[in-house]
Amino acid sequence: MTDEHPCSDDYPYVAEGPRAGIRPFALADADEFVARSRESRELHRPWLFPPDQADAYATYAGRLIEDPTKHGFLVCERDGGGIAGFININNVVQGGFRCGALGYGAFAHAAGRGLMSEGLGLVVRYAFGPLGLHRLEINAQPANTASIALARRAGFRLEGFSPDFILIDGAWRDHERWAITAEMVRAAPDAATGATSG
């Protein structure tokens, strides 16, 4: 991992808050992302398995960059530009639905510092603004208390429980379903971000 971060004029933030900015994935992020994933295995397991090899990162990031039903964002610290985590909008459906499903993960060096809360607020507002979405969903395993706490802090509401919902690490896992709509965000004060679009 180098000390140089691709958060620059070549990879500008699409939205930023006081301490964090979000920007799309780039193939140039491979070294830092892979290193952070390796450092964070203990934090991520058994919930999350982000790529920790360069070839796996290239495949993963390539899908996020090229697939119109996905939008991947790196949450970066504005002070220095280091990658704090990632938030992806998957399974985007337009038309009358205008919905996407969120997946996310913090890296260990940034966990517990509020950067992911700020980043999630930025992604939500970007999704409901420039991306034109109406609803975002988060599916979290019931025992993944950190993920559920992040959803709750961001204003998502619990909508239900889905048994055997997602195949993770070789088994079908139960998940809680959390969601937020554009109307919920407009009705709530901007508690977390002080966000501005870039």
Side-chain angles (χ1 to χ4, degrees), residues 7 23 25 32 34 81 91 162 169 190:
C7 292
R23 64 173 179 82
F25 276 71
E32 183 178 5
V34 164
N91 307 325
S162 298
D169 197 25
D190 191 351

Side-chain angles (χ1 to χ4, degrees), residues 18-176:
R19 298 189 305 133
I22 59 168
R23 64 173 179 82
F25 276 71
L27 295 177
D29 293 307
D31 288 348
E32 183 178 5
F33 192 98
V34 164
R36 293 299 186 194
S37 291
R38 290 175 182 165
E39 293 169 2
S40 305
R41 281 181 182 147
E42 186 174 330
L43 174 67
H44 291 159
R45 302 299 190 261
W47 320 113
L48 190 61
F49 298 83
D52 60 4
Q53 301 291 330
D55 57 345
Y57 175 84
T59 301
Y60 176 80
R63 283 195 298 262
L64 292 167
I65 293 166
E66 296 168 12
D67 186 340
T69 69
K70 300 179 185 296
H71 300 278
F73 300 96
L74 296 173
V75 178
C76 299
E77 294 186 67
R78 289 186 62 194
D79 182 12
I83 300 171
F86 56 94
I87 302 171
N88 302 329
I89 309 175
N90 300 301
N91 307 325
V92 173
V93 179
Q94 295 291 350
F97 201 39
R98 287 190 287 151
C99 181
L102 293 179
Y104 47 75
F107 289 130
H109 76 286
R113 296 171 49 202
L115 296 167
M116 289 299 291
S117 290
E118 189 173 311
L120 182 55
L122 294 168
V123 169
V124 167
R125 283 160 184 79
Y126 188 76
F128 293 154
L131 294 183
L133 298 181
H134 172 258
R135 175 184 170 88
L136 293 170
E137 300 176 354
I138 292 171
N139 295 290
Q141 293 180 63
N144 189 348
T145 56
S147 183
I148 290 170
L150 181 58
R152 186 178 285 118
R153 281 194 304 273
F156 284 68
R157 66 184 170 211
L158 178 63
E159 292 192 339
F161 178 81
S162 298
D164 301 330
F165 188 54
I166 301 175
L167 183 65
I168 298 175
D169 197 25
W172 291 97
R173 311 290 180 178
D174 299 344
H175 281 71
E176 292 182 3

